[in-house]
Amino acid sequence: MFSALMDAARNSPFKTPFTRAQCDGPVAGRSIAAASGEEVEFGSNKFFLLCGLGGIISCGSTHTFVVPLDLVKCRLQVDSAKYKNLFNGFKVSVAEEGTKGLVKGWAPTFFGYSAQGAFKFGLYEVFKVQYSNILGEENAYLYRTWLYLAASASAEFFADIALSPFEAAKVKIQTMPGFANTMREAMPKMMGEEGITAFYKGLVPLWCRQIPYTMMKFACFEKTLELLYAYVVPKPRDQCTKGEQLLVTFAAGYIAGVFCAIVSHPADVVVSKLNQAKGSSAIDVAKSLGFMGMWQGLMPRIVMIGTLTALQWFIYDGVKVALNIPRPPPPEMPESLKKKLGVQ
């Protein structure tokens, strides 16, 4: 499998922009100088594995960091009568459980989103190489937005299978008082009450939430990054320092995060309510909530997801710099296509 991926990467129609050094001019071969020291070959086994590691670090750390906000957001979604708004939600939660209660569910959050991040970022790089190779050089450039959408959707499909058991435990801990205080208490109890279905009954709504979110996260980020360098950043990317490049990455990530929060929010509300209501289906929960009910907690989620997405891209890009992983510049029109279109 990995040898086939390496061959696909070497023949990728994106290899032209991918084989350009970030700030130091051309580099021989198919490696990119992401930082000083030994280079990682683009498309190698090590490249994909390190991208997965970058996903673990970026997703696991950021989701754990915003657990208090996530906890209040979930409670707003499942009990809007008690938790009236974001600030009231924090106030009521602290009054009932103290500040320590704000970190309930941190363990399933950390382990679940670390696993999800490994698949999300690692497989995104795999599928992007594979799909671009299938399309061919010119089509991969012309239809690059569709390529980003397809690669991210494919990666997230598998990432959610890894996330689902932990997400179910997290919601139980955060929204059902007295059920469990830790992941070690919650998971055996869930298994005893509902069997293995307790961990995967929310998988379909999770796909409905996470796949559109991830498609927007990657496609919007890639296109925003391209537009920022083309129209906003006052100098070419290869003349920017790595610190400046990371700031642009953060800005593009935040913009993408706002759109991510909006398109995935209704499914997020259904997931929260579904894991609280034993025996209900996603359709039952959606009907009981109604259209307006599925938009509860949107503003805190925009703040949370915007910040999360920006930090994730910033950390992921930073890990690439630290570990000498190739960081390709925005794609450029292939020479063959320029000749066909008469572009100088």
Side-chain angles (χ1 to χ4, degrees), residues 9-336:
R10 291 190 184 100
N11 297 320
S12 171
F14 278 154
K15 64 180 179 293
T16 300
F18 283 170
T19 53
R20 192 170 288 116
Q22 303 307 307
C23 299
D24 302 315
V27 178
R30 288 188 169 87
S31 300
I32 302 175
S36 59
E38 184 182 353
E39 300 168 3
V40 176
E41 182 186 2
F42 174 76
S44 64
N45 296 353
K46 186 176 181 180
F47 170 78
F48 292 122
L49 290 173
L50 288 179
C51 286
L53 176 61
I56 291 173
I57 295 170
S58 66
C59 290
S61 62
T62 52
H63 278 276
T64 305
F65 176 73
V66 296
V67 161
L69 184 59
D70 183 46
L71 177 140
V72 174
K73 182 266 299 180
C74 287
R75 289 177 174 178
L76 279 169
Q77 291 172 340
V78 302
D79 194 350
S80 59
K82 181 177 180 180
Y83 305 96
K84 296 176 173 57
N85 55 53
L86 180 62
F87 296 105
N88 176 258
F90 272 107
K91 183 179 178 181
V92 172
S93 297
V94 171
E96 291 183 345
E97 303 175 81
T99 54
K100 186 178 179 180
L102 291 176
V103 298
K104 286 181 70 173
W106 74 266
T109 297
F110 174 75
F111 289 109
Y113 283 94
S114 292
Q116 186 214 36
F119 286 96
K120 183 198 297 276
F121 282 92
L123 288 182
Y124 173 71
E125 301 286 358
V126 171
F127 284 118
K128 191 164 75 166
V129 166
Q130 290 284 52
Y131 294 161
S132 64
N133 195 52
I134 292 169
L135 287 172
E137 184 177 23
E138 294 180 3
N139 286 330
Y141 175 80
L142 290 172
Y143 303 106
R144 59 193 181 280
T145 300
W146 292 103
L147 187 149
Y148 302 146
L149 291 169
S152 57
S154 301
E156 189 61 36
F157 177 86
F158 296 99
D160 289 342
I161 295 173
L163 171 63
S164 184
F166 299 98
E167 180 73 0
K170 175 187 76 73
V171 173
K172 291 275 192 185
I173 292 168
Q174 292 180 340
T175 64
M176 295 183 66
F179 181 81
N181 291 316
T182 67
M183 185 175 74
R184 286 180 297 175
E185 293 176 21
M187 286 191 155
K189 192 171 182 179
M190 292 167 66
M191 187 69 178
E193 289 183 355
E194 301 179 71
I196 195 69
T197 57
F199 301 109
Y200 289 100
K201 70 176 184 178
L203 180 58
V204 172
L206 194 61
W207 277 329
C208 292
R209 180 189 81 182
Q210 289 296 133
I211 290 177
Y213 163 83
T214 300
M215 291 169 72
M216 183 66 72
K217 174 179 181 173
F218 282 85
C220 187
F221 171 79
E222 299 266 22
K223 292 297 292 183
T224 301
L225 197 68
E226 189 177 331
L227 293 172
L228 286 177
Y229 279 113
Y231 301 107
V232 178
V233 180
K235 55 185 177 181
R237 184 178 186 269
D238 60 1
Q239 294 178 20
C240 296
T241 65
K242 288 187 172 60
E244 290 169 338
Q245 290 177 19
L246 289 173
L247 286 176
V248 177
T249 295
F250 184 86
Y254 209 101
I255 293 168
V258 172
F259 288 100
C260 289
I262 295 170
V263 301
S264 63
H265 190 72
D268 181 63
V269 177
V270 172
V271 169
S272 295
K273 199 73 174 176
L274 183 65
N275 284 304
Q276 183 200 41
K278 184 167 66 175
S280 297
S281 67
I283 295 174
D284 293 334
V285 170
K287 286 180 178 178
S288 67
L289 285 169
F291 178 78
M292 294 305 296
M294 288 191 290
W295 294 98
Q296 293 171 359
L298 177 60
M299 287 310 298
R301 191 158 190 270
I302 286 177
V303 174
M304 183 182 79
I305 296 300
T307 305
L308 267 179
T309 306
L311 285 174
Q312 283 175 7
W313 279 114
F314 183 84
I315 293 170
Y316 181 64
D317 213 22
V319 170
K320 280 190 168 185
V321 171
L323 299 181
N324 305 306
I325 305 172
R327 300 168 60 241
E332 296 179 3
M333 185 180 293
E335 290 299 324
S336 60

